[in-house]
Amino acid sequence: MTQRVEVARPLAPSPLLIDLALFAVALMWASTFTLFKIAWRDFDPVAFTAVRFAAMFVFSIAVLGVSASRVWPRRADLPALIASGLTGYFLYQMGFVLGLDRTSALASAILISTHPIFSVIVMWVLRKERPTRMEIGGVLIGFLGVAVFLRAWEAFAAARPGDLFSLGAAAAFGAYGVVNQPLTARYPPRELMSYGLALGGLLITLIGIPSMAAQDWGAVGPTSWAILAYAT
């Protein structure tokens, strides 16, 4: 007579805990727009970002170095991994920083949150999915909302440069989601993020060297340093 062996399964987190975690992520993301504006009273925005990503670059290399089960990039995946680092880190962050510096925190937050629209457009352009009428209507309504927000029918003529940089950041992040989709099946999340950070973080650091050299570090107050640590 055989006995059934009960295998203990880990308890799933409660729905409330999941909701709280998601709320915390949304709160942290939303807070960066206002907090960065405060820190940039002391910091040059590009220098601020370069310091953040210099630290992240070092961290990403350390993660890849200590990972015993590291999945090495396949040659066929190199173009996609490079595109991931460029869109998700370099182009997105530079558009975000230059946009936020030149427009309001509210405008930047609203415009960057349009990135799902750009994800849909990139998927259509790459012919990964065939658009339905509902999807086409949703994209048109989404862009109509952006045009109204950017001064109605004269949207792009009246828009501030920061608004356009923010839209560019949204487009880059939208493309990043599409580029990353096939890579997630072949690389663990930690390593995929580290590869992207290694490339994007290095480029941001190199671009930011002149701004870091010109930065008056003695003028940076403790609040701004705390925001930098929080953001990193």
Side-chain angles (χ1 to χ4, degrees), residues 102-114:
R102 291 163 173 79
T103 191
S104 68
L106 175 62
S108 179
I110 291 174
L111 294 172
I112 287 179
S113 67
T114 63

Side-chain angles (χ1 to χ4, degrees), residues 18-41:
I18 295 174
D19 289 342
L20 289 175
L22 292 173
F23 177 75
V25 171
L27 183 63
M28 291 177 67
W29 177 81
S31 69
T32 58
F33 294 87
T34 301
L35 291 177
F36 282 15
K37 282 282 196 181
I38 295 172
W40 293 349
R41 296 171 184 170

Side-chain angles (χ1 to χ4, degrees), residues 35-203:
L35 291 177
F36 282 15
K37 282 282 196 181
I38 295 172
W40 293 349
R41 296 171 184 170
D42 297 337
F43 277 109
D44 176 280
V46 176
F48 177 89
T49 306
V51 171
R52 289 178 59 218
F53 278 87
M56 292 181 191
F57 170 75
V58 172
F59 178 76
S60 66
I61 296 300
V63 168
L64 293 172
V66 302
S67 179
S69 57
R70 178 172 63 252
V71 178
W72 289 97
R74 302 190 310 176
R75 181 174 295 180
D77 289 335
L78 288 178
L81 288 169
I82 292 171
S84 174
L86 289 175
T87 56
Y89 295 95
F90 178 66
L91 293 176
Y92 168 68
Q93 283 295 328
M94 295 309 297
F96 165 69
V97 170
L98 296 175
L100 181 58
D101 185 44
R102 291 163 173 79
T103 191
S104 68
L106 175 62
S108 179
I110 291 174
L111 294 172
I112 287 179
S113 67
T114 63
H115 66 85
I117 299 175
F118 290 99
S119 292
V120 173
I121 293 173
V122 172
M123 284 192 290
W124 293 349
V125 170
L126 298 180
R127 297 185 178 180
K128 291 195 172 187
E129 290 185 11
R130 188 174 180 178
T132 65
R133 291 181 179 179
M134 186 74 71
E135 290 171 335
I136 293 174
V139 169
L140 292 176
I141 291 172
F143 274 114
L144 177 61
V146 171
V148 170
F149 181 78
L150 291 178
R151 319 294 186 268
W153 304 113
E154 298 180 355
F156 292 99
R160 287 173 288 187
D163 298 331
L164 303 182
F165 274 120
S166 296
L167 272 180
F173 197 69
Y176 169 72
V178 177
V179 169
N180 254 20
Q181 190 175 22
L183 296 174
T184 57
R186 296 189 288 275
Y187 298 91
R190 181 179 63 180
E191 292 176 20
L192 183 56
M193 181 183 70
S194 296
Y195 286 131
L197 267 175
L199 174 63
L202 177 61
L203 290 175

